[in-house]
Amino acid sequence: MNTKYHTLAHSENSRIVALDYLRVFAVIVLFFFHLGMIWVPEWHFHFKQETHWFGLQHIMLLSSPWRMGLLWFVAGTSLYVMQQKYGVYFLITRRSNAILLPLLIGVYGIVPIQLFVEMTQKGAIDTSLGQFFIQFYFGANDYFEGFSSGIWHHVDVNHLWFLRSLWRFTLLLVIFNRPLAWIRGRWGNFNSAWLVLLVSLSLFASQIEDSDDKRDLYGLACLVWGYLFGSRAQFWGWLNDKRSALVVFAIVLTLLYEVGFGIGRYYPDNLLIKDTALWSYYLAKVISLFAILALANMLFVTPHPAVTKANAYVFPFYVIHQSVIIAVGYGITNWAMPAHKAILVCAILSALICVALLLLCKYSDVAGALLGKKAKASHWLTGKVAQIAIALITLPLAFKLIGLI
């Protein structure tokens, strides 16, 4: 099939339909993944409940390879569309503010809830949440002995590392705008060579020992691929042509690492089983991602008003969801219920609280802007004076993130 004749489904406001669905799908997957992190055995998290649910581990492994890659690819495509619509200057001004302000609010007002729960569970503190916040803002550093890792002492990003890296990567896109434009113009038609290159970068990143560098290199690669190809009809046509092969390959890789990790639990010294599972997992980080994109392009061709509206709340939902889950999980520990009921109650209560906070964002532009929701064009927050004020408020954080302070 000749991919040049494929078309790309857009909504009336020129949004890519498949990506609108995938953006919502990605954060829903992330919500349930972080919910499961409380009860899944072996994997470290900020709050844990002991279980032997290795089956849950395998369920979570279904999305583990590609869930962040999907977010990065969508983000890269969105940044390219923004740049084409508003220009490069927009990315380092208004878009920068839209990322840094919620990140600042998050690290000082939302993420600390997770630190409180983690320190409490580990017996490092025995205080109320209010007393903890007083110590967090005004106390001595030795109060957080053993929990000092962060962008500042005990002030960390936790799950908001994605926003930290997104802001850094946005700067890189601006700096390398001309070379990327040349690549897009000269070699902008996607083919198997680009897929192999992305797989190679992903495999290289998987061998880096430092976890931050490992996930950042993989994330940057997926973001750049989204930036270069995500808005091109030819790319989605290529996915359509290769969809069957991608899906079959993704299923085979998933079976290999799922079975391999399961058997490897009983034969930990068997290197063949271990290596087969690991390399299958690493390959799935790209192949499964592209299979998801291909399936989405087949399934999601008609825009839906609910999905379009939900896209406006993806950013604030991402900012709040993990702290809400951990707070609820911690809050119900004294309810004396079995684990299977506790995870269900936690899911329902967390979802309701998230919805309530998103409704606050809907009816308050200020609350929405603080958590990452775009304000109305006529709102004072979009004015030049407000944007300059936000830039000045977030400037120390920006300098810290690029190592200038």
Side-chain angles (χ1 to χ4, degrees):
M1 186 181 295
N2 195 336
T3 55
K4 71 179 181 180
Y5 295 114
H6 283 294
T7 58
L8 180 57
H10 288 82
S11 61
E12 291 182 1
N13 57 358
S14 297
R15 297 177 67 94
I16 301 172
V17 173
L19 291 188
D20 274 351
Y21 280 88
L22 284 173
R23 195 178 286 109
V24 175
F25 170 70
V27 296
I28 292 174
V29 169
L30 204 61
F31 174 87
F32 285 104
F33 189 89
H34 287 149
L35 174 71
M37 283 297 294
I38 296 178
W39 283 273
V40 71
E42 297 181 340
W43 298 353
H44 171 75
F45 200 50
H46 305 287
F47 175 63
K48 296 294 294 185
Q49 291 294 287
E50 185 176 353
T51 71
H52 297 286
W53 290 353
F54 289 101
L56 176 61
Q57 194 175 94
H58 287 284
I59 292 173
M60 293 169 66
L61 279 170
L62 291 172
S63 67
S64 184
W66 51 263
R67 58 187 174 83
M68 293 309 302
L70 180 58
L71 282 174
W72 283 122
F73 186 92
V74 172
T77 305
S78 298
L79 286 171
Y80 178 79
V81 172
M82 289 179 195
Q83 178 188 311
Q84 293 302 109
K85 188 174 183 179
Y86 303 112
V88 174
Y89 182 71
F90 173 86
L91 298 183
I92 57 175
T93 54
R94 292 181 178 271
R95 187 56 186 168
S96 178
N97 285 349
I99 297 172
L100 288 179
L101 182 60
L103 180 57
L104 184 67
I105 297 300
V107 298
Y108 278 103
I110 297 172
V111 168
I113 295 171
Q114 301 176 43
L115 180 59
F116 166 75
V117 172
E118 184 175 3
M119 292 179 69
T120 301
Q121 186 179 46
K122 293 181 177 178
I125 58 173
D126 185 17
T127 61
S128 67
L129 181 61
Q131 291 172 324
F132 168 83
F133 267 104
I134 292 174
Q135 292 293 330
F136 185 86
Y137 295 132
F138 309 111
N141 285 339
D142 57 5
Y143 183 85
F144 299 94
E145 185 176 353
F147 299 86
S148 60
S149 175
I151 50 177
W152 282 290
H153 193 285
H154 72 264
V155 180
D156 203 3
V157 290
N158 284 12
H159 71 289
L160 299 184
W161 68 268
F162 178 83
L163 301 187
R164 174 189 61 190
S165 296
L166 177 61
W167 183 76
R168 290 172 173 169
F169 296 166
T170 302
L171 293 186
L172 290 177
L173 291 180
V174 171
I175 293 170
F176 294 101
N177 174 57
R178 288 188 180 276
L180 288 170
W182 180 78
I183 291 172
R184 184 179 168 90
R186 180 69 176 80
W187 293 302
N189 282 346
F190 192 87
N191 54 44
S192 298
W194 283 110
L195 177 62
V196 171
L197 180 57
L198 182 57
V199 168
S200 300
L201 288 172
S202 177
L203 293 178
F204 175 76
S206 69
Q207 302 308 302
I208 299 175
E209 292 186 5
D210 183 272
S211 61
D212 285 347
D213 292 340
K214 176 185 297 188
R215 68 188 182 188
D216 274 356
L217 178 56
Y218 169 73
L220 178 59
C222 291
L223 178 130
V224 170
W225 260 244
Y227 180 88
L228 291 174
F229 306 111
S231 64
R232 296 179 72 98
Q234 183 273 338
F235 166 75
W236 295 94
W238 185 92
L239 287 177
N240 280 343
D241 291 345
K242 309 297 183 183
R243 182 173 59 241
S244 296
L246 288 169
V247 170
V248 169
F249 198 6
I251 291 172
V252 171
L253 290 173
T254 302
L255 289 173
L256 283 174
Y257 73 70
E258 287 278 16
V259 174
F261 287 141
I263 297 176
R265 192 174 297 117
Y266 301 100
Y267 301 97
D269 297 326
N270 190 311
L271 293 181
L272 178 61
I273 294 175
K274 179 181 178 181
D275 289 343
T276 300
L278 282 175
W279 286 104
S280 299
Y281 181 90
Y282 296 147
L283 285 170
K285 291 172 74 69
V286 174
I287 302 301
S288 295
L289 165 62
F290 274 57
I292 293 292
L293 292 172
L295 288 172
N297 193 44
M298 177 185 70
L299 297 172
F300 306 132
V301 295
T302 304
H304 193 284
V307 174
T308 303
K309 291 179 181 178
N311 267 260
Y313 298 93
V314 164
F315 201 128
F317 181 81
Y318 177 83
V319 172
I320 64 175
H321 80 279
Q322 182 167 300
S323 290
V324 170
I325 290 169
I326 289 174
V328 172
Y330 172 71
I332 66 173
T333 52
N334 295 324
W335 288 16
M337 65 180 75
H340 67 277
K341 289 184 178 180
I343 193 171
L344 179 62
V345 170
C346 186
I348 294 172
L349 290 180
S350 297
L352 290 174
I353 292 173
C354 285
V355 168
L357 292 173
L358 294 180
L359 285 174
L360 178 63
C361 293
K362 178 180 180 180
Y363 294 108
S364 170
D365 282 324
V366 174
L370 292 176
L371 294 178
K373 183 178 180 292
K374 184 179 178 180
K376 299 181 183 69
S378 59
H379 197 272
W380 61 268
L381 279 169
T382 64
K384 184 177 293 186
V385 173
Q387 289 296 306
I388 292 173
I390 292 172
L392 291 174
I393 292 170
T394 59
L395 192 61
L397 176 59
F399 282 166
K400 183 66 175 178
L401 294 184
I402 57 178
L404 293 182
I405 60 174

